[in-house]
């Protein structure tokens, strides 16, 4: 699985031999690959007007392009804000709750993200084909898809340590602009242009997987909530800045010498006393690919996050304590 | 009929070829594939509707919809055969006499005494004794011993000490269907009670001294309070309309010391339509999130569930927190009243959250109090306007509570699903007819078997591993969050999509935890035994080597296999979302339409063996199990025995 940003085809349909060769080396003679473009076909075409575009079939004959539009940017942030507002609105009647939920479209975005990640995983696992994923910039929906696909495909990404590695690779080092995206969250009046909850959408999708496959993830919901918190505000430097360049010492654009001046979230999480708080008592290594159902009935609102401060989780916590006891007792 | 195809409901590309059999009691489809010869059995009683669809090139399609939400799509090659099957099924699914029902031919090979014992498992007299009755305030009355006062009530009713036979009879004449106020639940801690009845025949101004005395008697039976609540579970408008027909509700001016309250729950027709709409949503092919949420809201189903729950919560609060008795009624006192009384009892008394207690609850508030099972669930062919999912709603309320309080119930989701299944199956005699009187006349207990005995025998399948009698959730009253709580009501896909295996991954938390619990118990017992042995051996100085090797063998035997967890499943069609994105314009040469790229054919099984554990799973919060494994009595909804590609959602 590869990821990139969009090719700069432009209005004049420029070609780039090196790019074509690079993609050519990935595939053997006669093999085919899939390009999953997270923009709609129309949006991708329009991107040419501003210098971007798509890979023309004639130049990349072995690659088949699939479009799976995923929401990003302002619309995704609006969706998030609307959902949080709906969840906090105590005046809604049961009559209108579901349509209000629907109008936020958040669950549709979860469904679309999971479907696309599954598609990528299917290409690799079932078609045994290589996959290239990109959107426009390669920093948002691209990473959502590649990271999720790996959780689906790869059991090692479902371990606590493996998941941290996945986050480091596919989100942090890959350059998801956390500083811009995770600025003010859902309550701020300042509607910042660059803010968008892609990372939260990823965590929500992982939560859906944990719900559908309760034995297959080594970590539980608490880890996901902690990651959500730390992406926005953290005592640790792991989610600071927008990319490695800004974090590294010795580069001209370095902003804050992250590794020298801050502590790593992972170091803290991996301490034995901390770690056990995040482990899933039902975990048992599952070597197989986990294919989620993306039917509407299977996708649920992440109550642990969206109702975290609104309703008591006492009874559910007690249930988890029971589960813990049962498993440990054995 | 041979060469019939059974289609996977959501993917018409997947079809099993086999033979269709019609027997006196079942429709049976047997697959031709010789290794598995998978059988699909459907009881005629379960058939809700049969639809003959337009003949196509491939044959004549027949759609069978069942009351337990199974949907079977058959394609019969010859039109003539299809028509014959259709006509036969219509007749078979609409029995005219009770004797046609399966329970009269079902033979579990028990002797007469075992059958009798089965029926004695649930004893209502014992139940009232458990509540503490008879006592200073409540007594048994035999006024209805020959069903002379009310033919839909049981022979034994519990009434306040100060309610004489005269008062009871007088009150019954002033109540719809003669269903006078009688005791449903008594709380011995504070003497508050829940009584139930039907609506008074008050019209605009009629009064009845005995009925007023009856309510006073109920009030007096609770010295801790100087008034009682009278709860009318109908919407105010409906109740008022009833007045024009000479019925209505209690006027606070006429009945001393009552506080009257409407809690609007809609009637059976609204509920029937609501379920219908919800099932239509379930039948949508590859719905978008919007389709689903809009459809679900449009049906109003969860709103109704919440209304019933809210009523139960109000009553439970009145009894537990205020110590005030409540009289509940609707129109006839056998639908909404039953729902609301049983929900309230469940919230109040932990006994009803045990397996046995739950059976008792249904026996008490539904069976003995004359809920019209035959009319509501169509045992026999009857008026379609009487059909309504009343007890289904109650069962769903219980499930919603189980989701909110995972440790509070001794039984699991599978228990509820099986009970629902058997209410419609007519395999056992518990839910036949419309009243105790009718069941006695038909000699049900001598000619059929009790479901409760059957479930009790298999109770290991129905246990909730998180239940502990000493857990805080199992003590005292359950207090569901009142508001905000809309989001707490979830769509019960375990029930309404029960047979769509693609929706439910195959890992059952409940079954796993039960296995863990059992193994721990066994290990602990072994430990004890070994401990004693060791102690004895230490005293008597035997051969050390012999002892060591024995202990090693023991520990090997008890290793719990966790391999039943490593089950993946097969992917569904993820490319079916295309229609929801408007960007596909046909003229663009560069693009690829990928709709057909990943077809079912590509997804054939290179899967590892997935048949080890067929049960379906639940997520973090839904700690319940979905697929029954209850022997031959239930449709084989788990695909465990066969390849699980059979279950799939596709475009």
């Amino acid at each position: 699985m590869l990821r990139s940003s969009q090719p700069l085809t432009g209005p004049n349909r420029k070609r780039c031999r090196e790019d074509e060769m690079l993609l050519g080396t990935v595939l053997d003679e006669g093999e085919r690959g899939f390009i999953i473009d997270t923009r709609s076909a129309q949006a991708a075409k329009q991107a040419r007007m501003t210098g971007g575009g798509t890979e023309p079939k004639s130049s990349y004959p072995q690659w088949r392009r699939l479009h799976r539009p995923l929401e990003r940017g302002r619309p995704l942030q609006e969706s998030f804000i609307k959902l949080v507002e709906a969840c906090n609105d105590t005046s809604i009647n049961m009559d209108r709750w579901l349509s209000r939920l629907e109008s936020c479209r958040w669950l549709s975005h979860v469904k679309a993200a999971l479907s696309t990640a599954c598609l990528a995983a299917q290409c690799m696992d079932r078609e045994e084909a290589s996959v290239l994923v990109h959107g426009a910039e390669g920093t948002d929906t691209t990473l959502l898809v590649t990271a999720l696909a790996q959780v689906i495909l790869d059991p090692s990404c479902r371990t606590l340590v493996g998941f941290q590695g996945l986050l480091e690779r596919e989100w942090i080092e890959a350059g998801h602009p956390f500083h811009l995206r995770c600025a003010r969250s859902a309550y701020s009046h300042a509607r910042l242009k660059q803010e968008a909850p892609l990372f939260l959408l990823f965590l929500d999708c992982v939560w859906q997987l944990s719900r559908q496959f309760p034995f297959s993830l080594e970590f539980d919901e608490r880890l996901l909530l902690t990651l959500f918190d730390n992406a926005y505000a953290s005592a640790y430097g792991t989610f600071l800045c927008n990319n490695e360049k800004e974090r590294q010492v010795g580069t001209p654009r370095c902003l804050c010498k992250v590794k020298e001046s801050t502590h790593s979230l992972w170091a803290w999480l991996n301490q034995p006393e901390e770690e056990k708080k995040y482990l899933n008592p039902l975990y048992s290594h599952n070597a197989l690919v986990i294919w989620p159902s993306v039917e509407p009935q299977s996708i649920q609102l992440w109550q642990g996050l969206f109702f975290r401060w609104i309703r008591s989780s006492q009874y559910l916590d007690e249930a988890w304590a029971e589960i813990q006891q049962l498993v440990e007792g054995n | 009929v041979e060469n019939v195809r059974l289609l996977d409901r959501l993917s018409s590309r997947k079809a099993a070829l086999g033979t269709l059999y019609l027997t006196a009691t079942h429709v049976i489809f047997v697959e031709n594939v010789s290794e598995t010869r998978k059988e699909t059995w459907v009881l005629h009683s379960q058939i809700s509707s049969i639809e003959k669809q337009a003949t196509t090139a491939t044959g004549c399609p027949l759609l069978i919809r069942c009351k337990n939400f199974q949907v079977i799509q058959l394609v019969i090659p010859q039109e003539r055969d299809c028509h014959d099957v259709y006509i036969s099924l219509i007749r078979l699914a609409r029995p005219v006499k009770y004797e046609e029902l399966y329970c009269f031919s079902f033979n579990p090979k028990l002797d007469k005494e075992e059958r009798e014992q089965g029926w004695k498992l649930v004893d209502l007299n014992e139940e009232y004794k458990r509540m503490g009755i008879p006592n200073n305030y409540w007594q048994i009355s035999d006024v209805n011993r020959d069903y002379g006062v009310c033919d839909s009530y049981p022979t034994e009713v519990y009434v306040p000490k100060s309610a004489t036979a005269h008062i009871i009879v007088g009150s019954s004449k002033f109540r719809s269907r003669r269903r006078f106020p009688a005791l449903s639940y008594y709380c011995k801690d504070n003497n508050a009670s829940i009584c139930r009845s039907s609506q008074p025949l008050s019209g605009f101004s009629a009064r009845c001294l005995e009925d007023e005395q009856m309510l006073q008697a109920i009030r007096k039976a609770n010295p801790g309070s100087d008034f009682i609540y009278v709860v009318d579970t109908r919407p105010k408008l409906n109740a008022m309309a009833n007045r024009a027909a000479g019925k209505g509700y209690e006027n606070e001016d006429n009945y001393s010391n009552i506080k009257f309250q409407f809690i609007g729950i809609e009637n059976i027709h609204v509920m029937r339509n609501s379920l219908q709409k919800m099932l239509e949503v379930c039948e949508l092919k590859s719905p978008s999130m919007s389709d689903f949420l809009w459809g679900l809201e449009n049906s109003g189903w969860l709103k109704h569930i919440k209304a019933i729950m809210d009523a139960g919560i109000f009553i439970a609060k009145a009894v537990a927190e205020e110590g005030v008795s409540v009289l509940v009624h609707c129109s006839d006192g056998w639908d909404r009243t039953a729902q609301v009384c049983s929900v309230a009892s469940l919230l109040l008394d932990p006994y009803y959250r045990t397996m046995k207690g739950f059976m008792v609850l249904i026996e008490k508030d539904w069976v003995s109090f004359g809920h019209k099972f035959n009319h509501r669930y169509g045992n026999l062919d009857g008026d379609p306007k009487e059909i309504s999912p009343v007890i289904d709603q109650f069962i769903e309320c219980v499930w919603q509570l189980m989701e909110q309080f995972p440790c509070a119930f001794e039984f699991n989701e599978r228990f509820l699903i099986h009970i629902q299944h058997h209410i419609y199956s007519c395999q056992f005699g518990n839910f036949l007819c419309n009243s105790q009187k009718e069941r006695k006349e038909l000699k049900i207990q001598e000619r059929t078997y009790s479901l409760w005995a059957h479930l009790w025998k298999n109770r290991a399948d129905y246990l909730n591993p998180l239940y502990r009698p000493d857990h805080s959730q199992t003590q005292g009253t359950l207090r569901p969050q009142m508001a905000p709580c809309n989001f707490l009501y979830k769509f019960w896909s375990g029930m309404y999509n029960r047979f769509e295996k693609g929706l439910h991954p195959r890992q059952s938390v409940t079954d796993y935890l039960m296995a863990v619990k059992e193994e721990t118990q066994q290990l602990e017992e072994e430990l004890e035994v070994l401990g004693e042995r060791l102690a004895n051996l230490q005293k008597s100085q035997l051969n050390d080597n012999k002892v060591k090797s024995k202990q090693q063998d023991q520990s090997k035997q008890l290793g719990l296999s966790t391999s039943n967890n490593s089950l993946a499943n097969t992917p569904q069609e993820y490319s079916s979302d295309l229609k929801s994105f408007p960007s596909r314009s046909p003229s663009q040469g560069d693009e690829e339409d990928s709709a057909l790229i990943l077809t079912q054919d590509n997804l054939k099984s290179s899967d590892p063996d997935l048949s080890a554990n067929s049960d379906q799973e639940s997520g973090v919060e839904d700690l319940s199990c979905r697929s029954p494994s209850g022997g031959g009595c239930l449709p084989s909804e788990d695909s465990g025995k066969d390849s699980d590609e059979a279950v799939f959602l596709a475009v």
Side-chain angles (χ1 to χ4, degrees):
Chain A
M1 185 159 57
L2 306 153
R3 52 174 155 79
S4 70
S5 53
Q6 65 181 320
L8 299 176
T9 324
N12 298 322
R13 296 175 190 264
K14 273 190 290 183
R15 288 181 68 165
C16 170
R17 301 266 174 235
E18 289 88 348
D19 192 74
E20 291 165 29
M21 276 170 62
L22 182 57
L23 282 185
T25 59
V26 173
L27 301 175
D28 287 336
E29 186 78 37
E31 258 192 355
R32 67 171 180 176
F34 293 97
I35 298 176
I36 295 181
D37 190 326
T38 61
R39 303 165 294 177
S40 67
Q42 195 170 47
K45 197 167 183 196
Q46 275 170 0
R48 278 203 266 142
M49 300 308 144
T50 46
T54 56
E55 296 83 348
K57 180 110 183 115
S58 45
S59 316
Y60 300 84
Q62 286 172 279
W63 293 87
R64 196 160 167 196
R65 189 157 29 96
L66 311 174
H67 286 276
R68 289 290 179 278
L70 294 180
E71 198 68 271
R72 77 204 71 202
R74 289 304 317 277
L76 191 65
Q77 179 71 4
E78 288 299 326
S79 172
F80 176 42
I81 292 174
K82 275 174 106 168
L83 178 59
V84 172
E85 272 172 11
C87 293
N88 282 290
D89 186 350
T90 50
S91 69
I92 311 182
N93 246 332
M94 193 61 204
D95 293 28
R96 281 169 286 126
W97 162 247
L98 291 173
S99 52
R100 179 84 181 261
L101 182 60
E102 190 282 326
S103 71
C104 304
R105 307 212 28 87
W106 180 260
L107 294 178
S108 300
H109 300 316
V110 172
K111 181 180 188 327
L114 273 174
S115 302
T116 308
C118 285
L119 183 63
Q122 244 175 346
C123 291
M124 293 182 68
D125 186 73
R126 297 294 163 135
E127 302 288 311
E128 292 182 357
S130 294
V131 177
L132 168 64
V133 184
H134 71 75
E137 302 300 301
T139 54
D140 293 274
T141 53
T142 304
L143 306 180
L144 177 58
V145 172
T146 56
L148 255 185
Q150 287 177 58
V151 178
I152 289 168
L153 285 167
D154 187 350
S156 68
C157 291
R158 296 180 224 135
T159 63
L160 184 57
V161 165
F163 190 66
Q164 290 171 24
L166 178 72
L167 293 174
E168 267 293 326
R169 258 191 342 272
E170 296 301 312
W171 286 91
I172 296 171
E173 285 175 15
H176 179 70
F178 279 97
H179 183 67
L180 290 170
R181 298 284 180 267
C182 299
R184 304 287 176 83
S185 187
Y187 294 100
S188 165
H189 289 296
R191 307 286 226 230
L192 301 172
K193 271 205 305 194
Q194 289 286 340
E195 176 136 27
L198 270 314
F199 188 58
L200 171 60
L201 186 55
F202 168 70
L203 294 175
D204 195 326
C205 291
V206 175
W207 180 79
Q208 304 289 340
L209 289 172
S210 77
R211 219 190 53 84
Q212 294 194 30
F213 297 93
F215 297 94
S216 300
L217 299 184
E218 193 184 22
F219 47 89
D220 72 2
E221 185 183 46
R222 275 165 296 199
L223 179 70
L224 301 175
L225 291 172
T226 300
L227 290 169
F228 169 71
D229 290 339
N230 279 275
Y232 284 89
S234 180
Y236 303 90
T238 305
F239 290 104
L240 282 182
C241 303
N242 289 314
N243 48 53
E244 285 299 282
K245 188 171 180 181
E246 289 180 10
R247 293 177 199 117
Q248 291 293 22
V249 179
T251 64
R253 284 279 305 278
C254 169
L255 292 183
C256 53
K257 300 196 213 164
V258 163
K259 298 215 165 96
E260 285 72 22
S261 323
T262 68
H263 290 286
S264 159
L265 177 63
W266 311 137
W268 172 67
L269 278 179
N270 291 327
Q271 294 170 103
E273 327 84 69
E274 277 307 308
E275 182 185 78
K276 65 181 180 217
K277 296 182 195 166
Y278 302 104
L279 292 176
N280 170 14
L282 296 172
Y283 175 66
S284 131
H285 174 77
N286 177 358
L288 305 171
V289 177
I290 54 175
W291 300 106
S293 158
V294 297
E295 291 305 301
Q297 294 93 318
S298 308
I299 296 180
Q300 290 195 6
L301 183 59
W302 186 5
Q303 291 191 16
L305 182 98
F306 292 103
F307 293 99
R308 199 170 168 193
W309 313 111
I310 297 172
R311 66 115 174 86
S312 160
S313 60
Q314 175 194 349
Y315 305 113
L316 301 172
D317 292 341
E318 285 173 2
W320 276 109
E322 272 306 299
I323 293 178
Q324 193 105 31
Q325 268 189 32
L326 278 177
V327 172
E328 279 170 13
N330 184 260
Chain B
V1 181
E2 293 185 340
N3 294 318
V4 174
R5 291 208 322 282
L6 173 67
L7 302 185
D8 181 287
R9 197 178 72 74
L10 296 156
S11 159
S12 41
R13 277 171 251 155
K14 292 192 79 88
L17 193 64
T19 307
L20 187 69
Y21 300 88
L22 257 64
T23 72
T25 51
H26 290 81
V27 180
I28 309 170
F29 178 83
V30 184
E31 256 177 64
N32 282 348
V33 179
S34 52
E35 313 106 50
T36 55
R37 287 191 67 75
K38 177 181 172 200
E39 298 178 358
T40 305
W41 288 57
V42 177
L43 268 170
H44 295 318
S45 303
Q46 287 284 3
I47 297 177
S48 168
S49 73
I50 309 149
E51 194 184 317
K52 193 156 159 282
Q53 294 169 325
T55 308
T56 66
T58 49
C60 203
L62 201 66
L63 189 67
I64 302 175
R65 290 191 180 85
C66 298
K67 300 169 187 174
N68 63 0
F69 313 112
Q70 188 170 16
V71 178
I72 301 198
Q73 171 102 55
L74 298 166
V75 178
I76 299 176
Q78 302 291 346
E79 225 263 286
R80 178 62 196 263
D81 290 332
C82 181
H83 188 74
D84 286 345
V85 170
Y86 174 69
I87 297 294
S88 310
L89 281 181
I90 295 234
R91 174 61 187 86
L92 289 166
R94 296 182 191 166
V96 175
K97 293 184 293 156
Y98 279 109
E99 283 71 18
E100 297 178 53
L101 296 175
Y102 186 33
C103 52
F104 291 99
S105 53
F106 171 62
N107 178 10
K109 309 227 171 30
L110 298 173
D111 63 36
K112 188 159 156 288
E113 191 173 310
E114 284 168 312
R115 189 210 302 256
E116 234 179 85
Q117 282 305 105
W119 283 104
K120 294 211 175 96
L121 186 65
V122 171
D123 181 340
L124 286 183
N125 278 328
E126 284 305 313
E127 169 55 12
Y128 284 99
K129 275 197 199 128
R130 184 194 70 88
M131 286 190 223
I133 299 168
N135 65 6
N136 291 334
Y137 304 112
W138 296 91
Q139 61 180 345
I140 307 181
S141 169
D142 69 347
V143 71
N144 198 38
R145 61 189 163 278
D146 299 315
Y147 304 106
V149 178
C150 172
D151 64 0
S152 59
Y153 265 10
T155 47
E156 283 174 341
V157 284
Y158 292 79
V159 295
K161 255 296 171 37
S162 55
T164 62
H166 172 78
I167 291 176
I168 296 171
V169 172
S171 168
S172 79
K173 293 193 176 136
F174 195 64
R175 293 276 164 180
S176 175
R177 319 279 183 177
R178 317 282 231 94
R179 291 169 69 88
F180 56 88
L183 180 73
S184 166
Y185 179 71
Y186 169 71
C187 178
K188 58 175 161 290
D189 296 337
N190 60 13
N191 295 309
S193 65
I194 303 176
C195 293
R196 54 184 291 181
S197 70
S198 57
Q199 64 184 323
L201 302 176
S202 49
F204 288 100
S205 58
R207 290 181 69 160
C208 167
L209 180 64
E210 290 83 10
D211 193 69
E212 290 167 30
Q213 287 172 330
M214 189 65 175
L215 267 65
Q216 275 183 38
I218 293 174
R219 178 178 53 82
K220 282 190 260 181
N222 178 8
S225 168
D226 56 7
F227 72 98
I228 64 169
Y229 281 111
V230 176
V231 170
D232 188 329
T233 58
R234 298 170 291 180
K236 184 166 181 179
L237 228 54
N238 298 22
M240 288 174 67
N242 266 281
R243 283 197 297 181
K247 305 180 205 176
Y249 53 94
E250 293 81 350
N251 185 338
E252 273 182 4
D253 297 332
N254 300 341
Y255 291 85
S256 56
N257 307 105
I258 68 164
K259 280 200 186 145
F260 188 84
Q261 183 92 18
F262 280 113
I263 301 188
I265 301 174
E266 301 290 344
N267 65 35
I268 56 168
H269 310 295
V270 172
M271 301 309 193
R272 183 177 57 249
N273 290 330
S274 176
L275 179 64
Q276 179 60 34
K277 285 205 183 129
M278 186 170 74
L279 294 179
E280 281 165 19
V281 175
C282 293
E283 281 193 33
L284 291 175
K285 301 222 190 261
S286 295
S288 67
M289 205 71 216
S290 295
D291 293 337
F292 178 72
L293 291 173
W294 270 106
L296 191 56
E297 180 163 279
N298 226 1
S299 74
W301 182 258
L302 290 177
K303 178 183 71 163
H304 299 313
I305 298 290
K306 179 170 187 290
I308 297 165
M309 192 80 92
D310 285 346
I313 293 173
F314 175 86
I315 293 168
K317 268 201 169 138
V319 169
E321 290 174 24
E322 297 180 62
V324 176
S325 296
V326 185
L327 171 66
V328 189
H329 70 77
C330 44
S331 293
D332 294 322
W334 48 39
D335 293 314
R336 290 165 278 194
T337 302
Q339 290 173 327
V340 156
C341 287
S342 33
V343 169
S345 302
L346 201 61
L347 293 171
L348 284 168
D349 194 333
Y351 175 65
Y352 298 125
R353 293 175 233 137
T354 64
M355 208 178 288
K356 183 82 185 299
F358 191 68
M359 298 180 191
V360 168
L361 182 66
I362 294 183
E363 210 39 61
K364 177 168 69 78
D365 276 312
W366 295 83
V367 178
S368 81
F369 268 101
H371 177 68
K372 300 197 297 174
F373 284 94
N374 177 28
H375 282 176
R376 293 286 174 267
Y377 314 116
N379 306 155
L380 300 181
D381 190 31
D383 180 2
K385 292 237 168 5
E386 291 275 348
I387 304 273
S388 190
V390 182
I391 204 170
D392 306 59
Q393 288 180 322
F394 163 65
I395 291 173
E396 176 161 345
C397 286
V398 182
W399 178 77
Q400 300 281 357
L401 283 172
M402 276 170 54
E403 290 288 292
Q404 291 184 43
F405 300 94
C407 300
F409 293 81
E410 190 189 24
F411 48 87
N412 60 30
E413 185 191 32
R414 186 191 276 148
F415 187 61
L416 295 177
I417 292 179
H418 285 202
I419 290 178
Q420 192 267 2
H421 177 94
H422 283 301
I423 285 168
Y424 290 98
S425 78
C426 301
Q427 182 169 338
F428 299 92
N430 309 61
F431 308 115
L432 294 184
C433 310
N434 288 327
S435 65
Q436 194 191 71
K437 175 170 191 252
E438 285 180 23
R439 280 184 289 272
K440 282 235 179 94
E441 282 165 3
L442 274 177
K443 299 197 200 301
I444 293 295
Q445 291 195 5
E446 286 106 85
R447 299 161 72 194
T448 69
Y449 295 87
S450 168
L451 173 66
W452 302 137
H454 169 76
L455 293 176
W456 188 250
K457 193 163 62 122
N458 295 313
R459 61 189 175 281
D461 290 341
Y462 302 122
L463 291 172
N464 170 17
L466 301 182
Y467 176 81
R468 262 190 300 120
D470 56 345
H471 192 286
S472 60
Q473 275 182 41
T474 66
Q475 315 284 327
T477 316
L478 280 187
R479 294 191 159 82
Q481 186 159 340
M482 280 300 296
C485 59
N486 295 333
F487 52 86
L488 291 174
Y489 290 90
K490 299 185 228 175
F491 173 78
W492 192 5
S493 69
M495 172 64 86
Y496 305 109
N497 291 125
R498 184 178 165 195
F499 296 93
E500 275 145 67
K501 294 159 261 187
L503 281 181
H504 313 297
R506 278 154 190 70
Q507 303 179 320
S508 164
V509 176
T510 300
D511 288 351
Y512 171 70
L513 290 175
M514 280 312 299
V516 166
K517 225 176 169 173
E518 258 177 60
E519 198 207 40
T520 306
Q521 220 174 341
Q522 281 175 33
L523 288 171
E524 279 170 358
E525 285 165 15
E526 268 304 318
L527 202 63
E528 246 186 76
V529 170
L530 291 173
E532 282 172 25
R533 212 188 274 168
L534 195 62
N536 290 336
L537 289 171
Q538 278 168 347
K539 287 182 202 157
S540 61
Q541 306 230 323
L542 273 180
N543 184 343
D544 262 11
N545 293 336
K546 244 193 198 160
V547 171
K548 278 198 197 116
S549 66
K550 259 193 188 151
Q551 284 170 333
Q552 274 161 16
D553 288 335
Q554 298 283 13
S555 50
K556 266 190 220 139
Q557 278 163 18
L558 296 170
L560 179 71
S561 113
T562 47
S563 63
N564 57 353
N565 300 328
S566 47
L567 304 168
N569 48 348
T570 46
Q572 61 174 94
E573 284 257 338
Y574 295 111
S575 31
S576 57
D577 279 1
L578 292 175
K579 63 175 160 25
S580 46
F581 299 113
S583 60
R584 322 196 58 75
S585 69
S587 60
Q588 291 161 332
D590 279 357
E591 274 111 80
E592 301 286 354
D593 184 322
S594 53
L596 299 174
I597 204 171
L598 295 161
T599 61
Q600 298 286 2
D601 303 317
N602 299 347
L603 304 169
K604 280 295 190 271
S605 114
S606 46
D607 284 320
D609 175 54
L610 299 164
S611 56
N613 182 350
S614 59
D615 287 325
Q616 291 151 5
E617 73 97 343
S618 55
V620 163
E621 282 148 26
D622 329 331
L623 297 167
S624 45
C625 188
R626 288 190 182 96
S627 91
S629 54
C633 296
L634 285 150
S636 53
E637 65 202 35
D638 50 322
S639 62
K641 307 184 204 52
D642 44 81
S643 155
D644 68 322
E645 290 131 54
V647 287
F648 231 90
L649 300 157
V651 72

